[in-house]
Amino acid sequence: MVAAAISDVRPSRAAPERARAGRGTGRTADDGLLAAATELHRSLAGARLPLNLAGAEAVRDERRRTIDQFADQVLPRLAERTAPVLVVVGGPTGAGKSTLVNSLAGRAVTTPGLLRPTTRSPVLVHHPGDRSWFRDDRILPGLRRVTGATGDHASVQLVAAPSVPRGIAILDAPDFDSVDDDNRALARQLIAAADLLLFVTSAARYSDRLPWQHLDLAVERDTSVAVVLNRIPAADRATVVPDLRRMAGARNVPDDHIFLVEQAELDDPALLPAALVRPLRTWVDTLAADSSARTTVAEQTVTGAVRRAVTVATAVAEAAARQVDAIGELLSVADRVYAAELAALEDALPKLLAVLDARVTAHRAAPGGAPGDGIDRAEVAVDLALEGLLVDHAWRAAERASAELRATSHGSALLDWSTEDLSRPGKGLGLRARRAIRGARRAATPVAGAASPLGEVLAALLTEDRDRYLRPVLDRTLAPDAPQRLRAAADHAARALARHQTRGPIR
Ligand SMILES: Nc1nc2c(ncn2[C@@H]2O[C@H](COP(=O)(O)OP(=O)(O)OP(=O)(O)O)[C@@H](O)[C@H]2O)c(=O)[nH]1
Ligand SMILES: [Mg+2]
């Protein structure tokens, strides 16, 4: 049974995963959370949701975001606890993020501008001594490292600035509320990669809902967050500041993580006057200087992400289990059709063999009919007739199975996973059949001998053709045991997280 077969088969390959090793800092001592998070990441990657069942879309998005966040932040952070803290500067377009990053760095490291959105490709500013942490793909493995300005969404520009303290790196992100889909997707990815999210909004934009919704995604995951209300005109201060504090407070942003920056004339180059960014700069410097404070910030984010991932994994496992059932039902359509066709073939075979056997006997009895020149025409005719019988049934089964599947709501998806056209017999079936038939016939004479191996040979060939439906499911989509493996990985991660939190962060 095809449907039964899928529950017995282990996945053919593990989800791709990069080996993550410590850098010999001696600070990668692990309490099991890294191993558990790695397994959770791998199991989430294995639990694909290929069918568009009701509700799959939302779970699929969460799954994808979680997988990305693990690659971008969680796994690298757990593997390298002493790596510099990544502060991602995000918020609505025109809030002055790039200007603020330049002002913190004390020079123009990223390009601010009038044309919205200005920042399309992230700029990561770090101390020259911290370069080794960022030049390879330890974090944000999907983004190419470049050293010049680029508008490319698949790159991150690395800028070394001695004015940025060691232990902290600042990333200028594209806007959250972009009209540009790629900008928004990249911004979401970068927020998830942050050890600390510095949410920058302006007096003019702070009440826009969309940027706060992005912030909420981070808050939900318990990411460390600080908020900057930028470009505050003196006249509006009394109204906007309490409002902003209320909005930030509702998201549990601590008061000392809220910074207020007045609207000012920019210096030349376009930097904010040093006095205006001093409180923020002091906070960044203090954080950089205090390794325990850095660990606390990164820990909050990473444990929040793992906790959230456990919840996401539970939902993904449920959705994946529904998909396994649905796939099993689809495969049982092929199973049923091929079983019927196999029965028809088994029924037709003895009759055909009897006819063929009589013909061979008659042919050999005729003058000059005995084999002698190596080519026995009668036997060739037998082979062709048997091959024809098989191919005929394989055609009927393939046509009927694919037509029945196309008539179901998700059968087309299953057919499309295959690189082969499943509405016709498998490639080379005729040739394979001819060889197998010749071999079986030689092994059993006369051809119609009782329990002829021919019957088994033809059944095996038809079954092989049926199993083409199963292969893409196991190879490329969803292994039947993926939901169980994911549940086990989520339980394991939840236990490892509880242990980790009891022991406290490894400093
Ligand atoms: N006068 C004044 N202009 C500012 C200030 N902050 C930013 N600007 C200007 O506002 C415009 C937008 O600033 P950016 O720093 O590019 O804003 P952004 O948040 O990085 O924008 P995106 O990259 O599009 O998301 C630029 O022309 C800046 O020069 C400020 O405090 N005062
Ligand atoms: Mg910008």
Side-chain angles (χ1 to χ4, degrees), residues 93-94 96-99 110-113 116-120 172-175:
T93 186
K97 300 181 294 297
S98 300
T99 305
T110 174
T111 318
R116 304 268 72 82
T118 307
T119 307
R120 288 173 176 278
D172 184 23
D175 56 311

Side-chain angles (χ1 to χ4, degrees), residues 2 70 72 89 127 151 202 218 312-313 338 370 409 490 496 507:
V2 176
F70 268 49
D72 289 339
V89 179
H127 187 276
S202 65
V312 170
Y338 275 82
S409 29
R507 293 174 193 273

